[in-house]
Amino acid sequence: MHAQQMISTHPHVKGNTNDALIRCIEECFDCAQTCTSCADACLGESTVAQLKQCIRLNLDCADVCAAAGAVASRRTGSNEEVIRQMLMACETACRMCGEECERHAGHHEHCRICAEACRRCEKACAEAMRSMARH
């Protein structure tokens, strides 16, 4: 990921980066990809009918993570309240998706991997929100 490089070179940032927010951006995009892939893998399973909720939460989480990562990447101007709300929504989506994937992790390796990505992103969102309160 190039988030650190890109954000640190932004003329409004002047090298003063929020590393917790940058880690969150990277986790958001990683989680979006992982959730998209997990949903697709669930669709390929013979038990797809039992994975409907997992697929739904995967796709919701992927969309929320991608949107949160994009909004948090923007440094021109200021919209911290929207960033905080996006990160809060992302934290919630990741918690719910992670919980659902954990239910299937014993049978589906893709769900185990996805649950781990969701947990990392959930934690990164919480840390980024705390870091924004300090800035």
Side-chain angles (χ1 to χ4, degrees):
M1 292 262 180
H2 294 91
Q4 178 74 38
Q5 290 173 287
M6 290 302 296
I7 291 172
S8 69
T9 63
H10 193 288
H12 293 183
V13 173
K14 297 178 174 73
N16 183 23
T17 59
N18 177 338
D19 292 338
L21 184 59
I22 289 170
R23 270 191 309 280
C24 180
I25 291 165
E26 291 173 345
E27 291 294 349
C28 283
F29 287 127
D30 180 66
C31 192
Q33 185 281 321
T34 303
C35 287
T36 299
S37 187
C38 189
D40 189 61
C42 285
L43 287 169
E45 295 289 350
S46 60
T47 58
V48 67
Q50 289 139 13
L51 295 169
K52 283 191 290 191
Q53 183 65 5
C54 192
I55 294 164
R56 168 62 192 260
L57 293 175
N58 282 159
L59 295 175
D60 287 352
C61 192
D63 288 345
V64 171
C65 286
V71 170
S73 293
R74 298 184 186 117
R75 298 290 90 204
T76 301
S78 178
N79 202 357
E80 288 196 2
E81 182 58 25
V82 169
I83 294 171
R84 270 196 274 293
Q85 293 296 321
M86 293 294 290
L87 296 181
M88 196 177 309
C90 190
E91 183 182 29
T92 300
C94 287
R95 178 181 45 77
M96 293 177 69
C97 187
E99 288 170 358
E100 182 66 22
C101 278
E102 284 170 356
R103 289 186 186 98
H104 309 286
H107 295 95
H108 305 295
E109 182 68 2
H110 52 84
C111 285
R112 185 193 63 76
I113 294 166
C114 189
E116 288 177 2
C118 288
R119 294 302 184 201
R120 282 192 310 271
C121 191
E122 177 185 9
K123 183 178 181 215
C125 286
E127 289 172 3
M129 284 186 286
R130 281 193 299 275
S131 77
M132 289 176 67
R134 292 191 298 265
H135 279 93

